[in-house]
Amino acid sequence: MLHWYTINALMCDTEKTTTNMKFSLENHPRLVVVGTLILAAVCLALGVVLFYSGASLPTDENVFMTPPSTIFIARDVPARSIEEPKFRLFDRETENHPGALLTGDAFISVNKKDVKTMEDLQAILRSANDNDSLDVEVLRASINRNMLYRIEKSALALNSVREFRNTVVVISVIPGGASDRAGMKTGDIITKINEQTFADALAADKILRQGQVDKSLRYDVFRDNRELTLQVTLAKFGVPMVVIMFFLIGLFYMGTGVFLALRRPQLTAARLLGWAFIAGGSLLMTAAYGRGSEIPIFRLMRNLLTLWGFIGSITLFTLSFLYFPKEKQALLENIWHRRVVIIAACFFLLMTIVTQSQWVLYATMLIPLYFLVIKWIYRKQIPSEQRAIMRGVKWSVVGILAANAIFVYVRSASVQDGSLPNNLNFLTLLLLPLAYLFTIGRYQLLDMKLRIRRNLQYTVLTVVWNTLLGVTLIVLFFSLPNVALPLQHVEFTGASILITDSPVSKEDLTRNEKIGSMLLGLGAVFAYVLVRRTGQRLIDEKYFQTQFDYRRALSELSEALASKLGMNDLAHGLVTTLADLLNVKEASVLFFRGETGCCCIESMGTASAEVSAVCLTHQKELTDTLKSISGPSRVEYLPVTVRKMLSDLGVRIVSPICSKDRLIGTLFIGEKRSETAFKDEDISFLNSAATQASISIENAFLYEELAEKERMRHELEIARKIQLASLPQEVPLVQGLDIAGGSLPAMEVGGDFFDYLESKGNSVTVIIGDVSGKGTSAALYMSKVQGILRSLFTFGLSPRDLFIRANRLLCKDLEKRSFVTVLGAEFDMASKTARIARAGHLPLYCYNAAACAVEKIITPGIGLGLNDAEQPFSMLEEYVRPLGAGDVYIFVSDGITEAQNEQGEEYGEERLTAFMDRRHADDAATIRDLLFEDVKQFTAGASQHDDQTMVCIAVRG
């Protein structure tokens, strides 16, 4: 009846666009809520009653079935298995296919003719010739599997079979249960229960339920051609775990359905999905348990739930695809698509009731197939983004179908002796509701914002991961003894492992199998530890739960703070470094001048404008609060006004930055990316970070004050000393080379630099560079460039590769108006070659002793920091030339060639080459000093407009 009410509601809902339809569920959300609650309550009540009625019946804790015939093998009959080869999991050939029909096997067919009674068997035997072979199919109850054998007719004598009418065969015995304790085994043929006969398994179960709990029943059984009597003491609750899990999963389905339908009752997609999950939950709650179904009222209840659950869920899920994730207008425009689905559901429902056939019920699966065909026809009119959204749901359905198909195949091809997991495939049913909830939450469908906090996601995923691995390890351990290991020719001794030509004895084989199982167990444990550790590490990284190394973090923070000079750069470096180290979503830093005025604000994850507006509005309250706390504090402990102000910004921790009892800044730290609470060590780290930051902030304030008061004079003098000290103070000793260099800044500090980079072997790399501009900015960039080149050279790079990598770093740090020109050459006395690269600098001047002439070496290349693309630097070439005794190489900056006298004339390249032609025979230091003197004499007292730098390399060996 519930199903008919739902179908009627659907007809009203799906045909709301017709002109004669006035009623619409969208306009009556309260009716949807009440109807959904009533529907879920009725289904739940029926499911609970059925579950309890079946669970509370007396049970002997075994499973028996009606045999396919009354004819059984009374003694073993030699035979040959002719079954098709199949995949078998942990299957032993000797156990599955012994060369005989075993005692207790029940006949199914002979030569593909059904055998039900002894008369059927005798008729088939009379029609066969004496020399004929017979294909016999039997049920082997001990493994609950049909087996196919070929035997000779003469081997199948009538005295080797026995007829038992009104029997059942035991196909499963719960370990440690009532039947197991009484000595019952799988494959036993039960002929009587309490001296009562029965027609089939249903009648036997009825006799069983008439027994009393804690009382014993007498079972007459036939086993191994012997008649036995067993006393089985009944238990009250005998519910298999799989039944309980199906019931719980059904509850989860129903809960999901109620949640969706009640959250958005005005949306058609939410209603259809909610009712579909309620129907699916009803089916799952009753699908796995059938005890007590012969009682009329229980059978009626189960049939109602099964019809509603099976047909209702298929119909409602199919209709929901028209509206979820978005309405498919191309399909909705034709109302007959919906009508066909509903009419087909009503037809299958009616035919199932009339015919009482399960196959008619299963034919309801044609409904989603029809919809898939229609969807394929209209596929071009459905946006591709909808298909992408539904990818998770599609894969969950595929996973459920694949898991069940694999399980059915493995169950049909493997021994069911307890070594395999029983019905673990039901867990895949959870994929469907989880996939829908994930899809709804991720894409915010149905106007819902479903979000599970990351720390809860992490906990659930960690538990699931460890549980799955633990269950897998347990299954492996119980399965290893059944693995047939090829150890017949292996002999283990105390000192070695021997491979023998002849098979070992049975005792040695047993010992080998034990050793092999132990080794496999050790391997399984090692694999478990490795896989678990790897998976857990990936989960930790995904959810930002990796263990934090505070010593390393403080070291990184110190390096980040030490490299920042300007206040804005310091604030940016501090907030980004802390955000990365603590893995927080938001972080801000504020600097205060004179403890009151906010002079700098930098944020990550939160707009600086929002922080600035809030802080300026409540500046006095904020600073007074910060002065009153001595260290990092949680926001909830602050005064109400400040607490609300900071909570609106997403702040969780406030850490004042003080220097000499003066407030100079504060840190605002937001929620962690892992969404876990801050620990005591986090607070301690923030306290240490604030202490370190206070030093850097004070330095930044001092830097600005000195710049204003002394106009950078003192700083420039210090910078000059630092710069001169950063230039090479000693000449490298390279056999065969005479080296000298020097630099004369135009101001206190300059942008020119040179360096000697020594490497292993008898070689040296000489670098000369010029930063655009003059003065302090050029000097600072010069130090940065020099440090980068020195650091990169430790990787053993050639001049060309050195410049390419340096350019990548400098493009991120240099201002757009700044750039650097460099010239480098590697002098290798082992190979007598010079490897030269130029990035926008002046040429390398070389006196060729062999030709007695001065040459200019010019290679293509642009300056560093101009372009971070790879293509321009792919044109940078490297020139290799031989070194000859007497050759002289001079590196110069443009401060030498462009030096001007009072008349405006430049020193120029001609004077430089003439100087080299005159002085090439002098030592390198003399050439350097004379060149500086020659330029000075040429300028004749004119002011120096640019830095003058040069390096001389004279080849003497």
Side-chain angles (χ1 to χ4, degrees):
M1 182 177 253
L2 290 172
H3 185 67
W4 286 107
Y5 286 153
T6 305
I7 295 297
N8 184 39
L10 284 173
M11 293 291 291
C12 295
D13 191 30
T14 55
E15 297 182 11
K16 63 186 178 182
T17 55
T18 57
T19 55
N20 60 346
M21 185 66 68
K22 297 182 180 180
F23 179 78
S24 174
L25 291 178
E26 291 184 359
N27 300 325
H28 299 81
R30 292 184 179 179
L31 179 61
V32 175
V33 171
V34 174
T36 300
L37 291 176
I38 293 175
L39 177 64
V42 171
C43 293
L44 179 60
L46 292 177
V48 170
V49 169
L50 285 175
F51 179 82
Y52 180 77
S53 65
S56 61
L57 293 175
T59 176
D60 55 1
E61 296 183 298
N62 70 59
V63 179
F64 48 70
M65 63 176 290
T66 304
S69 70
T70 63
I71 311 302
F72 295 86
I73 298 294
R75 57 182 176 82
D76 294 354
V77 178
R80 178 170 57 88
S81 174
I82 59 173
E83 187 176 356
E84 293 284 336
K86 295 181 180 179
F87 165 80
R88 296 179 177 86
L89 185 61
F90 305 137
D91 192 6
R92 289 191 176 186
E93 187 69 20
T94 56
E95 294 179 358
N96 279 333
H97 300 286
L101 296 174
L102 301 182
T103 302
D105 288 351
F107 276 82
I108 298 175
S109 66
V110 177
N111 287 345
K112 298 185 179 179
K113 295 180 180 179
D114 291 342
V115 174
K116 298 295 185 183
T117 63
M118 183 66 77
E119 290 77 12
D120 296 337
L121 177 60
Q122 291 175 345
I124 294 173
L125 292 178
R126 286 195 300 269
S127 64
N129 297 324
D130 293 339
N131 297 327
D132 288 349
S133 296
L134 303 177
D135 291 344
V136 180
E137 184 178 6
V138 296
L139 168 66
R140 184 155 297 160
S142 60
I143 60 174
N144 190 21
R145 185 169 159 199
N146 295 347
M147 314 292 290
L148 186 60
Y149 288 94
R150 178 164 295 167
I151 65 174
E152 300 297 330
K153 177 186 174 183
S154 58
L156 187 61
L158 292 179
N159 60 359
S160 62
V161 299
R162 186 168 178 177
E163 184 173 21
F164 290 100
R165 297 183 181 274
N166 303 328
T167 61
V168 294
V169 293
V170 179
I171 60 175
S172 177
V173 176
I174 298 176
S179 294
D180 188 32
R181 293 192 299 270
M184 187 173 292
K185 300 181 181 299
T186 57
D188 285 354
I189 301 170
I190 303 176
T191 58
K192 292 182 181 180
I193 300 179
N194 264 7
E195 299 295 335
Q196 300 182 49
T197 59
F198 36 80
D200 51 23
L202 196 61
D205 193 63
K206 185 176 181 180
I207 297 174
L208 168 65
R209 288 194 314 278
Q210 292 174 353
Q212 298 181 7
V213 177
D214 294 332
K215 301 294 184 180
S216 62
L217 290 183
R218 174 177 173 175
Y219 282 70
D220 293 336
V221 302
F222 177 78
R223 179 198 305 162
D224 296 333
N225 205 18
R226 293 182 300 140
E227 294 183 358
L228 304 173
T229 299
L230 304 177
Q231 298 292 334
V232 179
T233 302
L234 300 183
K236 182 176 182 180
F237 288 94
V239 186
M241 182 57 66
V242 65
V243 175
I244 297 176
M245 294 307 299
F246 266 104
F247 186 82
L248 295 178
I249 294 175
L251 287 179
F252 182 70
Y253 267 67
M254 293 186 67
T256 303
V258 171
F259 169 76
L260 293 176
L262 298 189
R263 280 291 297 268
R264 292 295 181 269
Q266 71 277 12
L267 298 180
T268 304
R271 293 194 299 272
L272 292 175
L273 281 177
W275 295 339
F277 276 113
I278 293 175
S282 303
L283 180 64
L284 291 174
M285 292 170 67
T286 60
Y289 204 73
R291 299 191 65 207
S293 59
E294 73 287 350
I295 300 177
I297 183 62
F298 291 152
R299 184 167 61 249
L300 176 61
M301 292 167 58
R302 184 183 180 191
N303 290 340
L304 284 175
L305 279 183
T306 302
L307 288 175
W308 153 244
F310 195 84
I311 298 179
S313 60
I314 291 176
T315 304
L316 292 166
F317 272 122
T318 302
L319 290 174
S320 70
F321 292 150
L322 297 172
Y323 300 90
F324 186 85
K326 300 293 179 61
E327 290 188 356
K328 300 174 178 61
Q329 295 297 333
L331 297 178
L332 290 174
E333 290 176 357
N334 189 343
I335 197 172
W336 275 103
H337 294 323
R338 287 164 283 170
R339 287 180 174 176
V340 167
V341 173
I342 297 174
I343 292 172
C346 295
F347 171 78
F348 288 120
L349 173 64
L350 181 62
M351 291 303 297
T352 302
I353 295 174
V354 172
T355 62
Q356 297 292 313
S357 172
Q358 288 186 349
W359 294 107
V360 176
L361 181 64
Y362 295 154
T364 313
M365 296 296 296
L366 295 174
I367 294 177
L369 293 179
Y370 163 78
F371 177 76
L372 291 176
V373 172
I374 298 300
K375 185 180 178 182
W376 184 83
I377 296 175
Y378 288 88
R379 65 188 183 281
K380 294 183 179 179
Q381 302 180 39
I382 299 176
S384 59
E385 60 190 30
Q386 293 192 21
R387 294 194 292 271
I389 292 175
M390 291 295 290
R391 188 176 293 118
V393 175
K394 293 177 182 177
W395 279 111
S396 68
V397 174
V398 172
I400 294 173
L401 296 177
N404 282 272
I406 293 172
F407 175 78
V408 170
Y409 181 76
V410 172
R411 283 291 298 268
S412 66
S414 300
V415 179
Q416 299 305 307
D417 57 358
S419 62
L420 290 178
N422 186 21
N423 280 359
L424 287 180
N425 61 314
F426 66 81
L427 292 175
T428 58
L429 295 172
L430 291 171
L431 293 176
L432 187 61
L434 293 177
Y436 267 102
L437 293 175
F438 173 78
T439 302
I440 293 172
R442 179 178 182 182
Y443 298 100
Q444 298 185 4
L445 304 175
L446 305 180
D447 294 334
M448 294 185 186
K449 293 184 178 180
L450 303 179
R451 181 178 177 274
I452 302 176
R453 291 185 64 82
R454 294 185 67 91
N455 58 337
L456 181 58
Q457 296 179 31
Y458 170 79
T459 302
V460 172
L461 191 58
T462 299
V463 171
V464 170
W465 172 247
N466 287 276
T467 302
L468 288 177
L469 287 183
V471 171
T472 303
L473 184 63
I474 294 173
V475 171
L476 283 176
F477 270 127
F478 281 101
S479 303
L480 288 178
N482 297 323
V483 177
L485 299 174
L487 301 175
Q488 295 85 352
H489 297 274
V490 179
E491 182 177 348
F492 292 94
T493 66
S496 62
I497 301 176
L498 302 179
I499 307 298
T500 62
D501 295 332
S502 59
V504 298
S505 64
K506 185 176 182 180
E507 293 77 8
D508 290 340
L509 179 60
T510 302
R511 184 169 61 89
N512 290 349
E513 289 180 346
K514 291 180 179 179
I515 294 175
S517 297
M518 290 173 58
L519 294 177
L520 288 177
L522 291 175
V525 172
F526 177 77
Y528 165 79
V529 173
L530 182 61
V531 173
R532 178 185 175 278
R533 184 180 301 167
T534 302
Q536 191 63 50
R537 187 182 70 252
L538 294 176
I539 295 174
D540 291 344
E541 293 175 355
K542 172 69 176 177
Y543 288 92
F544 306 101
Q545 295 281 354
T546 53
Q547 189 174 5
F548 192 60
D549 187 349
Y550 288 102
R551 290 186 178 181
R552 181 182 60 82
L554 288 173
S555 176
E556 292 184 11
L557 180 63
S558 299
E559 293 178 2
L561 296 178
S563 62
K564 308 298 181 183
L565 295 178
M567 191 170 295
N568 291 329
D569 291 340
L570 177 62
H572 179 75
L574 177 60
V575 73
T576 54
T577 304
L578 280 177
D580 290 339
L581 292 176
L582 287 172
N583 273 325
V584 294
K585 299 177 181 178
E586 301 160 344
S588 301
V589 62
L590 288 73
F591 294 162
F592 297 106
R593 193 187 300 277
E595 295 190 298
T596 55
C598 183
C599 60
C600 182
I601 297 177
E602 189 70 32
S603 298
M604 194 286 298
T606 304
S608 298
E610 297 180 9
V611 180
S612 178
V614 171
C615 294
L616 290 177
T617 305
H618 304 84
Q619 184 167 299
K620 188 176 186 308
E621 297 176 359
L622 178 62
T623 54
D624 291 344
T625 301
L626 292 173
K627 292 176 184 178
S628 64
I629 58 179
S630 58
S633 175
R634 290 178 171 84
V635 170
E636 54 265 26
Y637 300 150
L638 301 180
V640 177
T641 306
V642 178
R643 179 173 66 226
K644 185 178 185 306
M645 172 187 69
L646 297 181
S647 296
D648 293 340
L649 292 176
V651 180
R652 297 292 182 269
I653 301 291
V654 174
S655 179
I657 303 174
C658 299
S659 176
K660 299 178 182 179
D661 297 329
R662 292 185 301 108
L663 179 67
I664 61 174
T666 185
L667 294 171
F668 292 159
I669 305 300
E671 187 179 37
K672 287 187 176 182
R673 291 192 181 101
S674 61
E675 298 181 356
T676 56
F678 284 90
K679 302 177 182 179
D680 292 339
E681 52 264 32
D682 298 323
I683 305 299
S684 299
F685 171 73
L686 279 175
N687 192 29
S688 300
T691 302
Q692 287 194 1
S694 66
I695 300 174
S696 299
I697 296 171
E698 281 286 7
N699 291 337
F701 284 152
L702 289 174
Y703 179 82
E704 289 190 353
E705 291 173 3
L706 291 174
E708 293 177 1
K709 293 178 181 179
E710 300 182 13
R711 298 292 183 182
M712 297 294 292
R713 181 175 301 174
H714 185 59
E715 290 77 8
L716 290 176
E717 184 63 25
I718 296 175
R720 178 182 179 86
K721 294 179 180 179
I722 295 175
Q723 183 177 21
L724 292 177
S726 67
L727 296 177
Q729 303 299 309
E730 297 180 0
V731 176
L733 299 177
V734 180
Q735 186 176 0
L737 292 181
D738 186 12
I739 304 173
S743 180
L744 299 176
M747 300 180 179
E748 286 80 359
V749 292
D752 283 8
F753 71 95
F754 69 94
D755 209 344
Y756 308 129
L757 306 177
E758 298 182 65
S759 58
K760 294 182 180 179
N762 196 26
S763 65
V764 65
T765 298
V766 179
I767 301 292
I768 188 172
D770 186 3
V771 179
S772 61
K774 301 178 182 65
T776 306
S777 61
L780 293 175
Y781 282 132
M782 180 272 284
S783 299
K784 181 183 290 291
V785 173
Q786 191 176 19
I788 289 174
L789 291 175
R790 286 181 177 178
S791 298
L792 292 176
F793 185 76
T794 59
F795 294 97
L797 303 177
S798 66
R800 179 180 181 274
D801 295 334
L802 183 65
F803 295 163
I804 291 175
R805 293 201 183 184
N807 179 69
R808 296 173 187 167
L809 298 176
L810 290 173
C811 285
K812 301 177 182 178
D813 296 334
L814 290 180
E815 296 179 352
K816 294 182 178 179
R817 294 175 297 176
S818 301
F819 62 93
V820 182
T821 65
V822 289
L823 172 64
E826 179 187 9
F827 294 90
D828 189 350
M829 296 306 294
S831 60
K832 296 290 185 179
T833 58
R835 190 179 299 272
I836 304 165
R838 185 180 69 93
H841 201 75
L842 293 179
L844 176 61
Y845 298 92
C846 171
Y847 177 81
N848 190 336
C852 298
V854 177
E855 301 173 354
K856 290 194 302 182
I857 301 174
I858 303 176
T859 59
I862 65 173
L864 307 182
L866 290 172
N867 196 321
D868 60 350
E870 294 290 341
Q871 185 174 2
F873 269 82
S874 63
M875 300 173 58
L876 192 148
E877 295 182 1
E878 202 170 64
Y879 172 71
V880 179
R881 87 179 258 123
L883 296 176
D887 292 349
V888 177
Y889 296 83
I890 291 185
F891 301 73
V892 297
S893 65
D894 56 5
I896 290 180
T897 57
E898 296 177 3
Q900 296 181 357
N901 57 20
E902 294 181 348
Q903 290 76 31
E905 297 177 346
E906 292 185 351
Y907 185 80
E909 291 182 346
E910 293 183 0
R911 288 184 174 83
L912 177 60
T913 56
F915 173 83
M916 292 180 64
D917 194 51
R918 294 194 310 270
R919 294 294 182 178
H920 65 271
D922 295 335
D923 59 82
T926 302
I927 295 175
R928 176 197 60 194
D929 297 339
L930 291 178
L931 179 58
F932 281 138
E933 184 63 24
D934 193 50
V935 172
K936 182 178 179 180
Q937 291 180 2
F938 171 78
T939 56
S943 59
Q944 182 180 339
H945 296 285
D946 200 357
D947 306 328
Q948 297 177 2
T949 305
M950 69 88 62
V951 177
C952 177
I953 308 292
V955 181
R956 301 309 184 195

